[in-house]
Amino acid sequence: MKKDLWIGGEYRNASSYMKLKNPFNLEVLAEIGIATKEDVLSAINAAQQAQVEMAYLPSFERAEILEKVAQFLKDDREECARLIAMEAAKPLKAARAEVDRTIMTYTFASHEARRIHGETVPMDGAPGGQGRLAFTVREPLGVIAAITPFNFPMNLVAHKVGPAIAAGNSVVLKPASQTPLSAYKIAEYFHRAGLPAGALNVVTGSGSKIGDVLLKDDRIKMITFTGSPEVGRYIRENSGLKRVTLELGSNSALIVDDGVLIHQVIPRIVTGAFAYQGQVCISIQRIFVHENIFDSFVEQFVSETQKLKAGNPLEEETDISAMITRGDVQRTQEWVEEAVINGAQLKLGGRSEEGIFQPTILVNVPSGEKVSCEEVFAPVVHINTFRDFNEAIDQVNDSKYGLQAGIFTNDIHKALQAARKLQVGGVMINEIPTFRVDQMPYGGVKMSGMGREGIKYAVEEMTELKLISFKTE
Ligand code: NAP
């Protein structure tokens, strides 16, 4: 299969192609077009031209287009899940869950398209402001460049394309090189749904080569990026005065307080740590357990993790499959070995086979170890102990990241204390930090990023507030 570039509402030949391989068995899945600088400029041109039509498209029409895309996804749920499973090595169960969430994301986008509005402004609150009727409206920004990662190839594209189209913008989408097929699929759905040609363009090729064309072009008004902190920082520093939102990584933490019925929460914590091989921005990486329950927690956690089945992502039973690259397997191996040399105890895993890194549990990891203070983005979790609750909060906050944190406790005071003190974008009480539904505000502090997604909040980022003031007297 050959995939050309999607520009101006049609596939256009690329001048060269790269082989896309299945990360699990390394079979070639497709030949993917590599965009040149001219191709990217041509996509920006197409988006710029479509922008005029998009800005005047009534909101009910934008909403209907988004509803149709959600319906196409429902119709093709299994096909889409298999596409994600193949290009991202995401186990089918998780891939289906991603398609279901993508449907929700476009559905929320269609709702949001119908209710973008401003507010009246009480101008007479200031001396000299009387005799005026004033209100705000929200206008589309124009052309938005969306740059997305490999780990949720459909739903994270939806979190950018959904609100951008809902708000009347046009988009140039640059998906991760490992997961272009689901992005092209979405472009085809939008085309079928009646989106004006050029309002969504997809360009593929190495981000480090074509990214700069998007960052430097003044016709692009906003970069919405999800990916690693390193690339996020580069984008922030090289985008001039464009609006930029960054959804970056984390080393998410969970506190488990004394008195919690651990057998009730452990299955969920295991899912939060190892789903999609830990390659989720809010995967549980650090667990802090009260010393009174530490030993039994570790024992039960290990035994629950042993139930996970590793294998081909396309098999129904598979829970864990290959990591995205063999290089990431190697890096993970090195980080785990380093931690063990420096005093951590390995309770489970620590090895890999054919691209699959076994679910790995470490205990008593020094906080300076890479598996603790860097984003591991692999099926590796560590469990440390605490005695004093404030100490647990400090340990969670002792991180350069701050996306979401979770706490299980029966003590309302501690829950409220955690809510106030944890330095993150979202605090999940009696829940794992890995929890997300697609309409909630979502984003990080510190090196986890800036700006918020969750359709309503992304629409705010993707629109310009304009004030209109009538002098009536
Ligand atoms: P990545 O390597 O940063 O890549 C993300 C995207 O950026 C890809 O499309 C990539 O293209 C592109 N890119 C690379 N270099 C670029 C440059 N110089 N200029 C412009 N674009 C460039 O991230 P990833 O490995 O795909 O994804 C994993 C990361 O995403 C983790 O850190 C994870 O925590 C984070 N993430 C965050 C969230 C969140 O919502 N906070 C959600 C999911 C994932 P190529 O693929 O062609 O290199």
Side-chain angles (χ1 to χ4, degrees), residues 147-152 156 174-178 205-208 211-212 215 225-229 231 234-235 247-250 280-281 375 377 403 436 442 448 453:
I147 305 177
T148 51
F150 74 84
N151 64 336
F152 283 86
L156 292 180
K174 154 56 192 116
S177 290
Q178 182 56 48
S206 162
S208 59
D212 276 354
L215 306 192
F225 172 78
T226 300
S228 60
V231 177
Y234 177 84
I235 288 175
E247 300 290 343
L248 310 178
S250 193
V280 178
C281 49
E375 179 182 38
F377 220 58
L403 195 46
R436 182 179 186 187
Y442 181 79
S448 291
E453 290 195 337

Side-chain angles (χ1 to χ4, degrees), residues 187-242:
E188 290 167 18
Y189 286 153
F190 269 102
H191 185 62
R192 255 172 72 197
L195 187 74
L200 172 60
N201 307 276
V202 185
V203 287
T204 38
S206 162
S208 59
K209 299 215 173 90
I210 58 175
D212 276 354
V213 187
L214 297 170
L215 306 192
K216 303 287 177 215
D217 197 300
D218 285 338
R219 291 169 298 174
I220 290 186
K221 300 301 174 208
M222 175 187 185
I223 310 273
T224 168
F225 172 78
T226 300
S228 60
E230 299 70 38
V231 177
R233 181 186 288 272
Y234 177 84
I235 288 175
R236 187 77 192 87
E237 289 173 354
N238 289 278
S239 297
L241 291 179
K242 289 181 178 49

Side-chain angles (χ1 to χ4, degrees), residues 95-387:
R96 288 188 188 117
E98 178 173 350
V99 178
D100 291 342
R101 282 186 56 191
T102 309
I103 293 166
M104 287 311 299
T105 304
Y106 284 119
T107 304
F108 280 119
S110 75
H111 296 169
E112 215 50 58
R114 289 191 162 93
R115 57 181 176 224
I116 298 171
H117 65 274
E119 59 184 13
T120 52
V121 182
M123 302 292 269
D124 62 350
Q130 61 269 43
R132 283 168 177 80
L133 170 67
F135 58 92
T136 58
V137 291
R138 287 202 164 268
E139 295 186 336
L141 287 183
V143 181
I144 293 181
I147 305 177
T148 51
F150 74 84
N151 64 336
F152 283 86
M154 269 202 180
N155 196 33
L156 292 180
V157 163
H159 269 285
K160 301 191 179 311
V161 174
I165 299 296
N169 297 290
S170 57
V171 180
V172 178
L173 167 65
K174 154 56 192 116
S177 290
Q178 182 56 48
T179 53
L181 296 179
S182 30
Y184 282 120
K185 188 91 187 149
I186 289 297
E188 290 167 18
Y189 286 153
F190 269 102
H191 185 62
R192 255 172 72 197
L195 187 74
L200 172 60
N201 307 276
V202 185
V203 287
T204 38
S206 162
S208 59
K209 299 215 173 90
I210 58 175
D212 276 354
V213 187
L214 297 170
L215 306 192
K216 303 287 177 215
D217 197 300
D218 285 338
R219 291 169 298 174
I220 290 186
K221 300 301 174 208
M222 175 187 185
I223 310 273
T224 168
F225 172 78
T226 300
S228 60
E230 299 70 38
V231 177
R233 181 186 288 272
Y234 177 84
I235 288 175
R236 187 77 192 87
E237 289 173 354
N238 289 278
S239 297
L241 291 179
K242 289 181 178 49
R243 197 172 289 187
V244 174
T245 57
L246 303 173
E247 300 290 343
L248 310 178
S250 193
N251 58 351
S252 297
L254 171 71
I255 298 172
V256 185
D257 192 18
D258 195 10
V260 169
L261 295 175
I262 52 180
H263 68 277
Q264 288 185 354
V265 296
I266 277 180
R268 190 142 175 80
I269 303 176
V270 167
T271 304
F274 300 119
Y276 189 38
Q277 292 88 265
Q279 300 170 126
V280 178
C281 49
I282 38 178
S283 270
I284 302 173
Q285 184 172 331
R286 302 176 295 149
I287 307 177
F288 300 100
V289 179
H290 193 277
E291 61 179 12
N292 291 351
I293 54 170
F294 183 75
D295 290 340
S296 46
F297 183 92
V298 172
E299 191 189 318
Q300 288 181 45
F301 193 81
V302 168
S303 123
E304 186 69 25
T305 304
Q306 282 167 328
K307 295 179 190 164
L308 297 175
K309 189 171 177 309
N312 188 329
L314 287 172
E315 278 166 16
E316 290 292 338
E317 310 303 313
T318 299
D319 299 301
I320 292 268
S321 190
M323 288 183 67
I324 200 70
T325 68
R326 300 300 193 258
D328 282 294
V329 173
Q330 181 62 28
R331 171 187 59 80
T332 307
Q333 184 81 59
E334 287 166 12
W335 287 16
V336 169
E337 282 168 11
E338 235 173 80
V340 171
I341 288 169
N342 292 329
Q345 293 152 262
L346 183 67
K347 287 286 179 187
L348 189 71
R351 270 191 262 287
S352 66
E353 205 179 325
E354 291 179 1
I356 301 179
F357 201 85
Q358 294 170 347
T360 295
I361 302 168
L362 294 158
V363 297
N364 300 324
V365 175
S367 63
E369 283 309 306
K370 292 199 188 82
V371 290
S372 180
C373 64
E374 300 295 337
E375 179 182 38
V376 68
F377 220 58
V380 176
V381 71
H382 78 69
I383 312 172
N384 284 13
T385 179
F386 72 88
R387 177 177 299 175

Side-chain angles (χ1 to χ4, degrees), residues 5-34:
L5 310 167
W6 182 263
I7 297 174
E10 59 183 15
Y11 278 114
R12 292 200 196 158
N13 287 346
S15 49
S16 60
Y17 293 81
M18 59 187 167
K19 284 188 169 50
L20 176 70
K21 291 185 182 166
N22 177 327
F24 172 68
N25 56 20
L26 305 181
E27 268 174 27
V28 175
L29 295 171
E31 304 262 320
I32 305 295
I34 301 178

